[in-house]
Amino acid sequence: MRTFITILFFTLTFTAFSQNKGKALLNEVSDKVKSYDNIAIDFKYILENTSENIKQETRGDVILQGDKYKLNILGITRLFNGQTLYNISPEDEEVTISSESDNEEDSITPSKMLSFYEDGYTYNLDIEQNVKGRKIQYVKLTPIDSNSEIKHILLGVDVQTKHIYNLIQIGKNGTKTTLTVNSFKTNEPISKSLFNFDADKYKDYYINKLD
């Protein structure tokens, strides 16, 4: 019985230590992100579900400034000025206008890409890997909400720069989503009108207002 209690004590101590270290590392990442005026990211995105024989791979880029962003992915531009979201599809010659909803906790939008982990998860340090000379420490995030469609998320953090290297999200339906950062630039000179929608450029497009 004494041996069991001793093992239980060390297990609980290690778990608390792992949680505290994981949270502390993500706090450092958050502080670093918030210190920048803007962030420009080029990334690779992979969506996999082996049981459904699905594998989709693409590249994209996003510029973030506070809640505002301009995202290019799958031939579509998503432009958010802090209040209104514009989905611009040149292939369909269509612009969809709506209010971005952050109410879905499972939705990791560009606005929350570098801060979504701050609430709603428990944290534990996971494996550490050496990726091309970079030390990447993974933190395992498990949703507090048992009804979440997410099983867990592995967030890879560059130990030296405190920048996010990649994000691996495992869904309860077996879907695996991986986002890997290829380049991470900060405080770049950007136009003041970058996040503004210029209607004159899309006079021939069908405008679809959802709200």
Side-chain angles (χ1 to χ4, degrees):
M1 184 67 178
R2 183 180 299 173
T3 301
F4 172 76
I5 292 174
T6 302
I7 293 172
L8 179 62
F9 171 77
F10 279 112
T11 300
L12 292 174
T13 301
F14 176 77
T15 299
F17 173 79
S18 177
Q19 289 176 344
N20 291 337
K21 291 287 285 185
K23 179 63 173 175
L25 178 59
L26 292 184
N27 284 341
E28 288 186 77
V29 173
S30 180
D31 290 342
K32 196 71 176 290
V33 165
K34 291 174 182 176
S35 72
Y36 300 127
D37 179 63
N38 62 69
I39 299 171
I41 298 172
D42 180 87
F43 61 88
K44 179 172 69 174
Y45 176 89
I46 301 175
L47 176 69
E48 300 174 90
N49 189 313
T50 53
S51 62
E52 300 292 336
N53 196 30
I54 296 173
K55 184 170 183 179
Q56 182 183 50
E57 183 173 338
T58 188
R59 298 177 74 95
D61 60 82
V62 62
I63 298 176
L64 303 154
Q65 186 175 52
D67 290 334
K68 302 175 183 179
Y69 65 81
K70 182 177 182 180
L71 168 69
N72 295 302
I73 189 169
L74 296 172
I76 295 175
T77 297
R78 289 168 60 91
L79 191 64
F80 185 60
N81 61 14
Q83 294 181 323
T84 305
L85 174 65
Y86 300 87
N87 276 285
I88 305 167
S89 173
E91 182 178 350
D92 299 324
E93 293 190 344
E94 181 178 358
V95 178
T96 302
I97 305 173
S98 63
S99 297
E100 185 185 58
S101 175
D102 286 340
N103 294 329
E104 297 181 22
E105 292 190 6
D106 286 349
S107 176
I108 301 177
T109 65
S111 298
K112 300 188 294 182
M113 185 184 294
L114 302 176
S115 62
F116 74 92
Y117 51 81
E118 294 177 349
D119 298 298
Y121 297 89
T122 59
Y123 314 88
N124 283 290
L125 285 181
D126 206 86
I127 63 172
E128 182 180 282
Q129 290 185 337
N130 187 298
V131 180
K132 297 179 180 179
R134 300 167 64 188
K135 187 184 292 184
I136 306 298
Q137 173 65 61
Y138 284 89
V139 180
K140 186 176 182 179
L141 286 72
T142 304
I144 295 173
D145 182 4
S146 59
N147 294 320
S148 172
E149 295 180 2
I150 298 173
K151 184 178 181 181
H152 65 261
I153 295 173
L154 287 172
L155 200 61
V157 178
D158 186 313
V159 174
Q160 182 177 358
T161 64
K162 299 300 186 296
H163 291 164
I164 293 175
Y165 166 69
N166 69 346
L167 178 154
I168 304 169
Q169 178 177 297
I170 307 298
K172 290 180 179 177
N173 63 355
T175 299
K176 177 182 178 181
T177 305
T178 305
L179 189 151
T180 303
V181 175
N182 294 322
S183 70
F184 190 104
K185 298 178 181 179
T186 61
N187 299 336
E188 294 281 284
I190 60 175
S191 169
K192 292 182 179 180
S193 61
L194 178 66
F195 307 106
N196 296 335
F197 176 72
D198 186 353
D200 290 338
K201 293 182 179 179
Y202 306 99
K203 290 180 178 179
D204 296 329
Y205 280 45
Y206 173 70
I207 306 299
N208 182 20
K209 294 185 178 181
L210 300 182
D211 298 334

